[in-house]
Amino acid sequence: NRKIAYTSDSSVVDAKFIGDIAGQNEDESFEISVEQLAESQINTGYYLKKDSMAMPTGSYSFDVTINNTGYEFQFNINPGETNFDLQNKLARLINNANVGLKANVKEYDAENAALLLESTATGIDLGHSTLFDVSDVSDSKHGNIVSYLGINEISRYPQNANFTLNGEKRVSYSNHFTIEGKYDITLKGVSGEDQNTTVGLKPDVESLTENVHRFVGGYNDFIRAANEYRSSQPKSNQLIHEMSRISSLYNN
C-alpha cells in the first residue's frame, strides 16, 4: 500500500512524499509550471595575469556585507606572491569563514584567472537588488584591494523562483520548498511554453519488490536451516514436508 511521489517531467520538478502514510491519496495530484528558477548572486573579479606579482607586500583588508551584517577580512600579501597565489589565498579565507559566501578561482586560460564570489542563498527581498556587497576598507593602510581584484563587480543578480501551482502564481526565495507538508519539491528547470508538470502519487514498486525478495529469502533460509538438522533432529523432515505442503496450496 506504500506510495511514492512522481513527476511527469523530472528535468523540471523533482518531488518526494513526506506526508503521513495513512493520509496518502493516490488520486491526489497538482500541476506546476516553472517560469523562472531562484538564483544566487555572483561577483566575478577581473581576469589577471596569473604569474604577475600581486600588489605591494603588507597587510590588507576588505569588507563584506551580507543581510545587513558586516564582516572584515584581513590578510597579508607576502614577498613573491603572484596574482594566482593571492586569488587562491582569498578563496580559502572566504570559504573557511563560512559567512554565506562561496569562493573559487576561475581560470580563463593558461595565463589569466579571476576570483569568483557566490552567495549560498538564493532569492531576494522586495526593495533589494543584492544579497552581498564587497568594498575596500577606507582606513586600511594598503587599500583598493577590492578595486584591484574587481570582486565588487556583479556578474549575476539574485532572483526568486516564479512558478504557478494549479494555475495560481507563486514566488519562492529558493528552488527547494514543501507543499502542504506533504511534498518536498525541488525546481530543476524552466517549463516549456504552456507546459505543466504533474506531481502525484504512485505505488512504490521498489518497496513492493524489496518485500517480495525479503519474503523469498526468509522462506529459503528457513528451509535451508531445517535441512541442516535432518540427521540430528528427525522431526526436521516432518517440518520440511509440512512447509512444502502449505506452499504448494498457494502455488497459483
Side-chain angles (χ1 to χ4, degrees):
N1 290 326
R2 288 185 59 184
K3 304 291 189 300
I4 59 172
Y6 75 90
T7 67
S8 59
D9 190 345
S10 58
S11 67
V12 176
V13 179
D14 185 39
K16 294 180 181 178
F17 184 76
I18 57 173
D20 183 8
I21 294 177
Q24 290 182 352
N25 179 6
E26 192 172 344
D27 296 330
E28 180 181 78
S29 65
F30 52 89
E31 306 287 325
I32 294 181
S33 178
V34 184
E35 301 170 8
Q36 175 180 284
L37 292 175
E39 290 189 329
S40 58
Q41 176 183 335
I42 296 178
N43 286 19
T44 303
Y46 300 137
Y47 285 95
L48 305 174
K49 292 290 184 182
K50 294 165 61 175
D51 294 334
S52 296
M53 292 298 112
M55 293 183 71
T57 60
S59 299
Y60 290 81
S61 60
F62 62 92
D63 288 335
V64 176
T65 302
I66 306 173
N67 294 328
N68 298 320
T69 302
Y71 303 92
E72 182 176 336
F73 290 86
Q74 300 178 345
F75 61 96
N76 293 322
I77 295 181
N78 301 313
E81 282 191 339
T82 64
N83 288 323
F84 197 56
D85 294 331
L86 175 60
Q87 290 166 337
N88 280 282
K89 175 191 287 187
L90 293 184
R92 291 191 298 270
L93 178 66
I94 292 170
N95 289 331
N96 290 336
N98 194 28
V99 296
L101 284 184
K102 298 180 292 184
N104 67 85
V105 179
K106 182 179 181 181
E107 298 184 53
Y108 180 76
D109 52 29
E111 297 180 352
N112 300 278
L115 179 62
L116 271 67
L117 306 182
E118 181 180 0
S119 62
T120 56
T122 58
I124 193 69
D125 289 325
L126 185 65
H128 294 79
S129 60
T130 62
L131 288 172
F132 68 91
D133 296 289
V134 187
S135 60
D136 284 306
V137 177
S138 58
D139 59 352
S140 176
K141 182 179 180 181
H142 297 95
N144 302 323
I145 191 66
V146 171
S147 301
Y148 175 73
L149 294 170
I151 52 177
N152 57 335
E153 299 290 333
I154 300 174
S155 55
R156 185 178 76 185
Y157 283 86
Q159 64 181 23
N160 296 323
N162 294 330
F163 62 98
T164 60
L165 179 64
N166 288 335
E168 181 182 341
K169 287 188 175 296
R170 299 287 184 93
V171 176
S172 172
Y173 292 136
S174 171
N175 294 315
H176 182 224
F177 51 86
T178 60
I179 294 179
E180 297 180 351
K182 295 182 179 180
Y183 294 91
D184 184 286
I185 299 295
T186 301
L187 305 182
K188 301 173 65 177
V190 176
S191 302
E193 187 175 356
D194 298 326
Q195 288 186 344
N196 290 327
T197 299
T198 302
V199 178
L201 294 174
K202 67 178 182 179
D204 187 352
V205 177
E206 289 185 6
S207 175
L208 173 62
T209 305
E210 179 184 346
N211 285 331
V212 171
H213 278 290
R214 186 182 296 116
F215 171 77
V216 172
Y219 178 85
N220 289 337
D221 288 343
F222 183 88
I223 298 298
R224 191 177 299 113
N227 268 315
E228 292 177 357
Y229 291 94
R230 295 180 86 167
S231 59
S232 60
Q233 299 290 339
K235 289 190 176 181
S236 291
N237 281 328
Q238 181 181 344
L239 176 61
I240 293 173
H241 175 74
E242 184 67 11
M243 288 296 294
S244 298
R245 188 187 68 81
I246 294 174
S247 61
S248 66
L249 295 175
Y250 298 95
N251 267 342
N252 290 337

